[in-house]
Every structure is written in C-alpha cells, then in structure tokens.
Amino acid sequence: MASSEPTKGSKKKLVTIGQMVKKRLKELESSPEDLAAAIDIPVAYVEDLMAGRRTPPAPGRTDIYAGMTTFLKLARNELATIAEEEREAVAATKPKAIKADVVRALLALCEPETAKDLAKRAKRAGGVEFWTIVQRLLDATRGMIRRSLNDHAALRTTAGRSAVPYSALRMQILDFLEVTPSTLTTEDVAKFLKPYVAKWDFDRETGIMRVVQPSTHL
C-alpha cells in the first residue's frame, strides 16, 4: 500500500489564498459576489485574490480574514497561516528600486538636512538602505491607517464627501496597507501619507525614526 507521507527531501506544496477561496466557494456553492458582500469589499478584490493577481494582505494589516473565515467556514487561523506562507514566498525576491518621483515626494516630507543625506543614500547600492528606511516609514503610518477601517461611521462619511462607494474606499485603504516602497506611488503619498505625516526624520546613528502627525488628519 502506498504511503501518504511525503518522500524525503520533497517540499510541501504551497496552497495559496486564491486556491483556498476558490475551493471553499465551490464547496459551499457560493460566489465571489456573495463573499465580497459579506466582508464589504468590491468583488474585483476577491476575484484578484482568486486569480493570483493580488498578493494576500498581511493578517496584521487587514480586517478581511475574520469575515472570510466565518463565511468560508474555515478554522480560525487557517487563512492567516496560508497568507503568511504565500507572502514569504513572494518576499524572497529582491526588492525593486523606488520610483524617482516617489523618492522626491517622500523627501519633501522629511527634515531638510536629513533629506539631503537620504537623497544620496537612495542612489547607493541600488537604494537598498533607503528602501528599508521607507519601509519603516510605511510601517509607522500603517497602524494609524489600519485603525480607520474600524471606524465605519467615519469611513461612510468620508465616502459620502468624496462620492466614492464605501466598499471602494475600503478597498483603497486595504490596497495602501499592502504597498511596498517599490510599488508606492505619488498618489499614495498624497492621499495616505500626507494626512498622517506632517514631517518625518531618521537618525542614522541611533536608527530612530520620528514621525510628526498633523494637528488634524482623515
């Protein structure tokens, strides 16, 4: 009788979020539209996940997994575990350089003297050191922006003011929470960073990053 154990040296096959979602929707005889409605996001978001066009969001940066887990009737941490494994596989690739216009937009928010130094570092060794600093800046602001997903009343008010559907606004926020320094755009900087960052600074000797918030933000 054949053994069900993996052969020595074989690697565990990666199951993606898209594959799991597709499988469970089929088993439950549900549709991407049903799932999207259950977790308040556009169906395009679900379809992108299913098709592998979108890297699954980090569990700590999103609120979609709890709703998806309930709707798809999965074990509590199953989707989070799958997402982490899939993200690790994607992260194994070397990061691409930050776009020049994005570098300028970020440095415009930085303390002037620090900005001069960072502008030079952005050009050294492919800008890897600067990439890491920008990643820290994104991480510092994402916590604040992530919390806005929980304020449904404020989100609906913002959606109404900007004439953007509530689910579309949620998707925009979820998308930003997953940007990397390489995929960051000047539009992201203007729409998401500026409302939360009046000025930022980085001490090269201590490695300490300081972010000053505006008196008011979204």
Side-chain angles (χ1 to χ4, degrees), residues 99-174:
K99 302 177 185 70
D101 58 346
V102 173
V103 172
R104 290 192 293 271
L106 291 171
L107 294 182
L109 296 174
C110 186
E111 288 288 349
E113 288 303 313
T114 302
K116 291 179 183 178
D117 178 50
L118 292 180
K120 297 175 183 176
R121 289 201 237 175
K123 300 176 183 178
R124 295 177 190 163
V128 174
E129 182 185 15
F130 182 67
W131 194 100
T132 303
I133 293 171
V134 174
Q135 181 66 62
R136 287 184 58 189
L137 176 63
L138 289 176
D139 290 341
T141 58
R142 273 197 270 242
M144 297 179 282
I145 298 170
R146 165 69 179 83
R147 287 192 288 274
S148 70
L149 289 173
N150 298 325
D151 193 342
H152 303 290
L155 272 183
R156 291 188 185 280
T157 299
T158 300
R161 286 201 309 261
S162 56
V164 175
Y166 173 73
S167 62
L169 180 59
R170 272 180 49 81
M171 184 171 178
Q172 289 174 12
I173 295 173
L174 289 168

Side-chain angles (χ1 to χ4, degrees), residues 44-77:
Y45 190 99
V46 175
E47 291 173 338
D48 283 350
L49 281 175
M50 292 172 63
R53 292 188 293 266
R54 177 186 296 275
T55 300
R61 295 180 192 157
T62 186
D63 64 349
I64 69 170
Y65 291 128
M68 289 177 71
T69 293
T70 299
F71 185 88
L72 297 174
K73 299 179 181 178
L74 293 167
R76 182 178 179 183
N77 295 317

Side-chain angles (χ1 to χ4, degrees), residues 14 54-58 61 82-96 128 131-132 135 142 178-183:
L14 178 68
R54 177 186 296 275
T55 300
R61 295 180 192 157
I82 293 173
E84 291 290 6
E85 291 176 350
E86 186 173 347
R87 289 175 60 83
E88 285 176 7
V90 173
T93 59
K94 185 179 179 180
K96 296 179 181 178
V128 174
W131 194 100
T132 303
Q135 181 66 62
R142 273 197 270 242
E178 286 305 306
V179 300
T180 68
S182 302
T183 60

